[in-house]
Each structure stands twice: as C-alpha cells, then as structure tokens.
Amino acid sequence: MEDQFIKAAGLIGDATRAAIMWTLLDGRAFTATELSIAANTSPQNISMHLAKLLEANLLCVEKQGRHKYYRFSSREVAYVVEAMANLIPKPEIFSQKKNENYPPVKYCRTCYDHLAGKIGVALADSLLKQKIIIENGNTFEISTEGEKWFSDFGINLEEAQKQKRIFLKPCLDWSERRYHISGSIGTLLLNKMLEQDWIRRTANSRAIIITGKGEKEMLKSFKIVV
Amino acid sequence: MEDQFIKAAGLIGDATRAAIMWTLLDGRAFTATELSIAANTSPQNISMHLAKLLEANLLCVEKQGRHKYYRFSSREVAYVVEAMANLIPKPEIFSQKKNENYPPVKYCRTCYDHLAGKIGVALADSLLKQKIIIENGNTFEISTEGEKWFSDFGINLEEAQKQKRIFLKPCLDWSERRYHISGSIGTLLLNKMLEQDWIRRTANSRAIIITGKGEKEMLKSFKIVV
DNA sequence: AGAATACTTCATTCTATATTTAACTATGAA
DNA sequence: TTCATAGTTAAATATAGAATGAAGTATTCT
C-alpha cells in the first residue's frame, strides 16, 4: 500500500514527467513528439518517460499510423494532477481590474475532457434549472424535454449513448468545488461550443477563452452571464 | 505556473517525503522523530526533508517544548495526497467474504482530520435528513434543533466557534465522491466517537475500525446501518 | 548541575536515474 | 524505392540531490 503510493508519487515527481502530466491536463491527447517539445527534451527521453508512465498505468496510448496519442488513463489520474495544480496560488486575474468593464476575454479551464471552471459549473446549474438534466441520486439524467433540447443544440444523443464511456456524470471541479457535467455528453457540449466558436482553446495553456459570440449565445441558451 | 507545478510534484515525488505525506494523511500531527521512524530514515535526513516541505508551504509546524508537530498546511495538500492514494487499486475487502455475515470490523478512513469514507458520508446524510444541519449554498449550517442535538451529544458549539478554523464545511470524500462534514465540527464529532469507543484508530494504517458498541450507537443516533 | 532527548546544520559522500549518443524499426510521402 | 518523419531501444555518461557523519543548540528529566 505505502510502497505503491511512493511509487506513484515518484512517477509524477520527476520534472519531465510532471511536464507531461501538466500538458495532458487540458484533456487532449498528445503525440510523443508534441510532448517532447512541451517538456523541452529529446524524443528518446520522452519515449523512456512515457514508457514508464504507461507501465504504471497512469497513461494510455492509441496508435494512429505512425503517430501515438497519449492521454490520461483514467479520471483518477487527472484528479491528482488537478489537485496538484490547485496547490499553486491563484493569480486573481479579475481582481487586477478595478473598473466595472468586462474584460474582453474570460478564462475557464478544461478539466480532462469536459468543461470545468466557473463556466462548467454555471452550465450544469443552468441545465438543471431548465430541467434539461435532472439529478437522480449520484447521477444526472436527461429529461424528455432535455432530449429535444440536445437535439436542437445539434447533439445526437443516440450516438453519445453508443460510446463506451460513461454517458452523463457529475464531476467535481476543484476550483469551484461544485459539480459540472462530464462523460460523453460533457465532451460533446465542449466540442459543439468549440465548433461554433463560442469558446477557443489557447495554444500553450489549459485555459480557454470565451468569444464575444459565445458570450451572447450563452446568455441566450443558458441564461449565463459570463 | 508550469514550473511551480513541477516543483510541487517534485517535492512530493521523493520517496522519503512521500512516506511523510502518507503518514500525515490520517490527519494527526507527527513529530520529526516519529516521521523519521515511519519513513525509515535518520533524524537528520527527515529534518532536511521537513525543512523543504515547510519552505514550500506544504506542511506547517507547531512547537511544543522540545517537540515539533508537523501536519499538512492546508486541505488542498491533503487532497493531493488523497487523490494519489486513490490511484492505488482497492483490495476489495468485502468481496472476499461470500457469506452474508457482517465482518467483525468494518473499515473507513480518516480524511485529514475528519471522518470520511462510507461512514462519514452516511453521517452527513443522516444529520442533513434529521435537519440537524442544513445545506445553504456551498456551506452547511446548524439548525436551532441541531444546536440542542450537538449539546446532547456532548459537543460544545461555543467552544468550536471560537477556534480559528472553519467551523462547518462540506468536504468531498474521494472514495465516495459525496460530501461529508469537515471543519472543527467534523473533528469534534470524530474525537467524540473515538472517546466513546465507537470507533478506534489502527496502529499503522489510515483505516479506522467500528466497534460493536459503535455499530449499535450509530444505528440509534444516526440511523446508520454500518 | 548534569545527562538524556529532540531536533538542526553543514560539509562530504554516494547513488539512483535522467539524459545523451548511437543505432534501429515502422509508417507515410515524393 | 528512396527519403523523411515518428517513435523506440540499449549502452555510456553525467549530475542532482539524498543520505551520512560529526558537531551543534534547546528543552526536559533526575
């Protein structure tokens, strides 16, 4: 028990491997080469480290042609990295601005592969309030009206249900400490919003930005003032 | 941002320091010597490592005579260690037993310094159900009837309120993924139950066991079947 | 006061393992 | 079919930083 804990801690503890984990935190899958660039080291070295992380089951790979895509093997791994990221004192981006003007872009984070942060939580709240999803014990379920809503939003629920991974699941966000939506539905919502340019990923950070269009549309669809 | 993350990961990543964190996970404060025994290394070495953990604000100390008591500096630190502990595959203690007989002791864990695990969650549920505590946004509050209940249970609320630390706060348990009670009230409840021999700490593990007396009393006070 | 305990500091030694160098396989592009 | 790209493996090297040894301070016990 203890030795397994120490082993896991040591695996994440190395600087290069920590850089890998940090990069993977935004939920996307990265190739070995991309990770070597992100971690600022050689391909051979990254390959060695990835092998160790795979061996320990912290990551998993998917081969596509000559590329290999690495991602967290489980939600639990992402939690560890998130919890660690939360040790870092927050920069308080908003408090710097003293005037009432909304900043042009606002930040949220992607947690593993679904929306988290303030937006993710507000989104979950809104869907619950509108009875599009309903809480049932420990899980979220989609109501009959909700099914129509998702279809209007351009999300094919049948398709989502076919996927192996959990369909709809509350997931705790570390910064807000409240549940937001994860599972395949969470990913689909995130992708749809990216597709429609409501939100954009940033190049080298885990933050995503909300566009002007997104601001308007979110107010309209979710009654969220971002 | 990234370098701070890597630094934090590296701090926990060393074997000796990981052993320290693992030991501290049960919420008690330990002296340097105790930690050196737990981590199986020399006092000088543990001193060096503790200095690093202090410097990085992961731990804090309290001096009492010639002893120094070390503990996690914040809840966030405990979360990291808990999340890591959750990477370890669970032994499935119950599934080994095929018959319907309850095992003589049942395990729960102490999270930082309050009750967690199945018991902690069930306890929180029960207190909520009995309206002893009530949910209010993100916090728990004690109702008027609740005040009487706590006093009957032998917990002095005035005393608890005097303490600096947060009085009553929901805290997410990693294994159950539901809120249980933390804060000074959580600690007081835990201590009271230890005192009355409802539960006992085990020597070298983070598990605590429920006594026969505890089983009966919990059913009576909290309507929990353990 | 003197001895024992708890803990720290610093200079030195040591060692685990990260990185590099070099050579290799597999896939895709020209 | 040749070249370039993506990734791996293995042996050699380098080095950060963990552990040790020796000597110190502060506190408590008798």
Side-chain angles (χ1 to χ4, degrees), chain B residues 20-34:
Chain B
I20 293 172
M21 300 309 261
W22 177 257
T23 305
L24 291 176
L25 184 57
D26 88 348
R28 284 178 289 174
F30 286 82
T31 65
T33 306
E34 286 170 336

Side-chain angles (χ1 to χ4, degrees), chain A residues 107-111 115-122 173 175-176 180:
Chain A
Y107 296 87
C108 41
R109 303 171 305 126
T110 56
C111 155
L115 265 178
K118 285 197 184 301
I119 298 300
V121 172
D173 173 51
S175 60
E176 295 293 313
H180 58 273

Side-chain angles (χ1 to χ4, degrees), chain B residues 47-85:
Chain B
S47 182
M48 182 272 286
H49 285 299
L50 287 171
K52 290 194 177 184
L53 292 169
L54 278 180
E55 160 68 27
N57 254 306
L58 294 181
L59 301 186
C60 57
V61 228
E62 208 176 325
K63 203 178 172 180
Q64 263 176 42
R66 58 179 166 178
H67 296 279
K68 280 190 167 182
Y69 286 93
Y70 291 86
R71 53 165 66 248
F72 292 142
S73 69
S74 72
R75 214 153 283 285
E76 279 67 31
V77 177
Y79 288 152
V80 175
V81 184
E82 273 230 304
M84 268 187 172

Side-chain angles (χ1 to χ4, degrees), chain B residues 2 69 74 89 114 129 179 207 216:
Chain B
E2 180 177 6
Y69 286 93
S74 72
H114 48 275
K129 206 168 187 176
Y179 284 111
K216 272 187 233 150

Side-chain angles (χ1 to χ4, degrees), chain A residues 31 33 44 47 66 68 70:
Chain A
T31 64
T33 307
Q44 308 94 292
S47 181
R66 58 178 166 177
K68 279 190 168 182
Y70 291 85

Side-chain angles (χ1 to χ4, degrees), chain A residues 5 13 25 50 58 60 89-90 107 120 143 148 167 188 207 215:
Chain A
F5 174 84
L25 183 58
L50 288 171
L58 295 180
C60 58
K90 280 158 201 164
Y107 296 87
S143 66
K148 191 188 171 305
F167 181 56
L188 285 168
E215 199 162 336

Side-chain angles (χ1 to χ4, degrees), chain A residues 113-115 167-168 181-191:
Chain A
D113 53 8
H114 47 277
L115 265 178
F167 181 56
L168 186 58
I181 296 160
S182 84
S184 53
I185 291 289
T187 311
L188 285 168
L189 279 171
L190 176 66
N191 289 341

